[in-house]
Amino acid sequence: MVEGYPEMIAETKARGIYHTPYVNSLQTIVSDPNCPKGLEPAFLLDKTLAPVTYHTEDGIIMCACERLVRDGNCAGIYLDQLGGQCGTPCYADNHGHPVGGGHYATDGLREICTAIREGMNKHLPQAALSGEVQHESLIDVTDHRLAHYNYWPGWVNLWAAVYGDYDMSYGRTVGFQQSPDKEGNPHPQIQNYGPLGNTFVAGLSFGRIWPTGNPLNLLSSPENEELRGFFTDLVKLRRVGRSWLEYGYLQRPVTFTTAIPDVFIIDSKKRDSSIKAVLDSAWINEEETLAFVFVNISEEEQTFGWKADLTRYEIPDAEVYVMNQLLPDGSKKPAGSLETVMIDRTETMAPHSSLMFEVTVGGY
């Protein structure tokens, strides 16, 4: 920790801002004088029996300690690349696993995460351990999971469908940079609105926002005024819908009764791709009320029809259901009552806008 770091983190903590610093879980610089001695027998070995490296010749593996929480006033730590080596084959013959196979690396990561978590919790019981795209084998020894990409072609929200009631995730870096369209012209809109909108409907927290350090920083640049408003509304609406989007359970998507157009986007690997102009998801919370969310990420107004058969959701049977639109300021706008189990509606959404409905059993 550099001079002044603990004091700075203590000041932000007093303001209700909790810091989890970056620690690399995959690499350590073994030439660093501070690197513990005697690690060599534990290195993963490739087919030539040379240590497995990542990016740098002497980057091997790294473990973090509890000092950042104990002495640095941090609220936990983030382990980057945590899911990066669970499947790495190791050809060492002295690790007690089959040469070129076994679960040596996975078991080692579980031990590392357990030790870090227990070490932090001795000093701060609520300290959280998060990591980058950790595998299922680590979700019981970590607290939060960074989703590596906000969107890619054929994206399916499988993690939330399987582990959404057990694991909390947050979206990866959103840099708000300009990206060219197919003709090479600047096309910042969809490149930013798309990942933000998809992060929202996926139930992910917004994380790793780079507000400064680029010409179009989110917080102050005039060029980002509209994007700033869109993002602010998403954050507010997510807070309003937190019982569904963060603590609730993912449900089946609605059925669109009109075609939703595709819009151009460059995917996470810099390839030409596309994404739907309107994104959606459905959730149920612990009070057994439903929520349907929609985001128009496109630059055009979108009018579309959608249906939802309530018998296919986990909401209780009832003779009457009440539907309200939830607004970013926390208020509710009546959207009608239903004496049928079928929702059949048409919506018109302005460009770069979000929409959230709550459906409850009549009388609530």
Side-chain angles (χ1 to χ4, degrees):
M1 291 181 285
V2 298
E3 184 178 354
Y5 177 88
E7 293 78 11
M8 177 181 68
I9 302 304
E11 182 178 341
T12 60
K13 189 175 181 179
R15 300 182 185 184
I17 302 170
Y18 297 92
H19 180 56
T20 55
Y22 174 106
V23 175
N24 194 295
S25 69
L26 185 61
Q27 305 170 70
T28 189
I29 304 302
V30 294
S31 58
D32 190 313
N34 295 316
C35 180
K37 305 302 180 185
L39 295 179
E40 289 77 9
F43 291 163
L44 271 65
L45 303 182
D46 62 20
K47 290 181 180 180
T48 68
L49 302 184
V52 175
T53 61
Y54 194 82
H55 291 319
T56 59
E57 291 184 0
D58 57 354
I60 308 294
I61 190 170
M62 182 174 184
C63 176
C65 72
E66 60 197 79
R67 194 164 71 93
L68 285 163
V69 170
R70 183 191 66 203
D71 303 331
N73 298 306
C74 295
I77 63 169
Y78 161 75
L79 295 178
D80 197 48
Q81 300 178 333
L82 185 56
Q85 69 270 37
C86 284
T88 303
C90 177
Y91 294 86
D93 62 4
N94 62 337
H95 287 172
H97 63 75
V99 173
H103 44 80
Y104 181 77
T106 302
D107 288 347
L109 277 181
R110 286 184 55 81
E111 292 178 14
I112 288 172
C113 291
T114 300
I116 292 172
R117 204 175 182 210
E118 291 178 351
M120 293 190 306
N121 291 155
K122 287 189 302 184
H123 306 283
L124 184 67
Q126 63 269 40
L129 177 62
S130 64
E132 181 184 19
V133 222
Q134 58 264 42
H135 300 185
E136 290 94 328
S137 61
L138 299 177
I139 60 176
D140 64 323
V141 292
T142 57
D143 300 294
H144 304 295
R145 176 178 178 270
L146 171 70
H148 192 61
Y149 293 119
N150 300 83
Y151 168 78
W152 64 89
W155 186 89
V156 174
N157 200 10
L158 185 60
W159 188 274
V162 178
Y163 300 113
D165 59 338
Y166 189 84
D167 177 87
M168 293 184 185
S169 299
Y170 56 101
R172 194 176 188 258
T173 303
V174 180
F176 304 101
Q177 75 280 10
Q178 286 193 350
S179 297
D181 63 14
K182 291 183 177 179
E183 285 72 42
N185 300 313
H187 191 77
Q189 303 296 332
I190 298 302
Q191 289 308 114
N192 294 317
Y193 288 99
L196 283 174
N198 203 56
T199 298
F200 173 72
V201 301
L204 299 171
S205 299
F206 294 103
R208 294 181 71 171
I209 307 300
W210 301 121
T212 58
N214 60 75
L216 291 179
N217 76 77
L218 176 65
L219 295 181
S220 62
S221 65
E223 296 90 340
N224 268 333
E225 183 176 358
E226 185 179 359
L227 180 63
R228 194 156 48 240
F230 173 75
F231 181 54
T232 300
D233 281 347
L234 288 185
V235 171
K236 289 180 178 179
L237 198 53
R238 192 179 189 282
R239 288 175 178 170
V240 171
R242 198 174 186 185
S243 68
W244 295 280
L245 294 169
E246 186 163 353
Y247 300 120
Y249 310 92
L250 186 68
Q251 302 283 284
R252 66 178 63 247
V254 305
T255 300
F256 286 103
T257 56
T258 53
I260 304 296
D262 291 322
V263 292
F264 170 73
I265 192 171
I266 298 175
D267 75 9
S268 304
K269 297 295 184 181
K270 306 299 182 184
R271 300 169 297 193
D272 287 0
S273 185
S274 63
I275 189 172
K276 292 296 182 182
V278 177
L279 308 174
D280 75 295
S281 62
W283 304 80
I284 193 138
N285 64 12
E286 293 185 352
E287 286 72 43
E288 297 184 305
T289 65
L290 271 174
F292 296 99
V293 294
F294 303 89
V295 176
N296 177 11
I297 64 166
S298 74
E299 299 173 24
E300 291 80 35
E301 180 180 88
Q302 299 292 335
T303 298
F304 59 91
W306 64 281
K307 288 184 177 181
D309 183 349
L310 296 182
T311 64
R312 306 188 74 190
Y313 295 85
E314 297 179 67
I315 192 169
D317 295 336
E319 294 184 0
V320 177
Y321 296 94
V322 176
M323 193 167 177
N324 292 297
Q325 180 183 348
L326 303 179
L327 302 176
D329 63 5
S331 62
K332 296 182 181 182
K333 180 180 178 181
S337 60
L338 301 167
E339 296 183 6
T340 173
V341 294
M342 181 65 73
I343 300 175
D344 190 349
R345 291 177 56 92
T346 297
E347 314 294 348
T348 297
M349 297 185 69
H352 308 147
S353 64
S354 53
L355 187 60
M356 187 169 191
F357 293 109
E358 169 197 61
V359 180
T360 63
V361 170
Y364 276 27

